[in-house]
Every structure is written in structure tokens, then in C-alpha cells.
Amino acid sequence: EAFHELVRGYDLVVNPTRMESFGMAALEVVAAGVPLLSTRTGVIEQVLESPDALFPPRRPDLLAAALERALLHWQEIDFGTERGQENIRAKFLIDYTVTRLNEHYRSGLSRFRTSSARQA
């Protein structure tokens, strides 16, 4: 229930999931302003752009390397949290979703009308 408050208590969150259909928990971490180290699953690659923040799933060796990099170079690493928050606002807020859905509906309706006119 208090995920936002809980996650804000961490300096870094590690999300080593093998598979995500969307990945809401990872997005919520970024939205809360907490650096995230995550597998490249779900939509997180549309949010985080920093190579230091992402690693492939099912690769514990690369997770270990990413954690080591984070521990040894914490001050130099930019996990891209602020840019990730901007990406969330730009790509996943309801206004963006509604606009994209409307575009798809218009396109589909246009194809339907063209197809119907040809059949007539």
C-alpha cells in the first residue's frame, strides 16, 4: 500500500526479474525518483536510457558486474532517473495513451472505410 514511501527509503533498487509483460513495479521505482538497476524486460528500456541501469535477463554474471560497477563508481554513475521520469510522463500518462489509441482508431476506421468502399 505504501510502496512509494517504502521505495524512497532505498539508495538503489535492483530488479532482477526474468520476464515482465509491462513492469509496473520498475516504473514505480523510477517515478518515485529512486535509482534502478533492472533487467531489460517489460517497457523499462523505453524509460531508462542509461546503459549502467540495465542488464539482460538470465545473466547473473552481468548483474554481478553491474552491481560491482555501481558499488565502485557510485558517484560517477548516472542511472538516468530524472530522464526516466520524463519518459514516463511522456509515454505512459493517460493523455499519451488516449492520443495513441485515438490515432489507432482513426487509422483503423480509415482502412475499414476504404475496404468497405472497394467491396461496394
Side-chain angles (χ1 to χ4, degrees):
E1 288 184 26
F3 184 81
H4 185 265
E5 291 78 20
L6 172 71
V7 79
R8 299 268 315 188
Y10 293 97
D11 294 325
L12 175 70
V13 172
V14 179
N15 181 44
T17 184
R18 292 181 176 183
M19 188 178 119
E20 292 285 347
S21 58
F22 186 79
M24 183 61 82
L27 268 61
E28 289 180 356
V29 169
V30 176
V34 178
L36 176 70
L37 182 60
S38 179
T39 51
R40 297 176 180 274
T41 58
V43 298
I44 197 64
E45 287 186 282
Q46 295 179 44
V47 173
L48 291 180
E49 299 170 356
S50 171
D52 289 320
L54 300 169
F55 60 95
R58 301 177 194 271
R59 292 294 309 269
D61 57 322
L62 295 179
L63 166 58
L67 284 169
E68 181 178 38
R69 220 175 17 262
L71 288 170
L72 295 176
H73 304 284
W74 181 256
Q75 297 300 321
E76 297 99 50
I77 292 179
D78 178 7
F79 288 94
T81 306
E82 286 182 30
R83 178 73 179 131
Q85 290 174 316
E86 292 170 14
N87 286 336
I88 289 170
R89 285 189 294 273
K91 297 178 181 182
F92 298 107
L93 290 183
I94 193 68
D95 291 345
Y96 173 79
T97 304
V98 168
T99 300
R100 295 263 332 259
L101 281 172
N102 281 336
E103 290 169 7
H104 286 294
Y105 289 146
R106 271 190 224 103
S107 174
L109 184 58
S110 175
R111 285 193 306 266
F112 174 75
R113 287 180 179 158
T114 302
S115 174
S116 295
R118 285 184 193 150
Q119 292 176 1

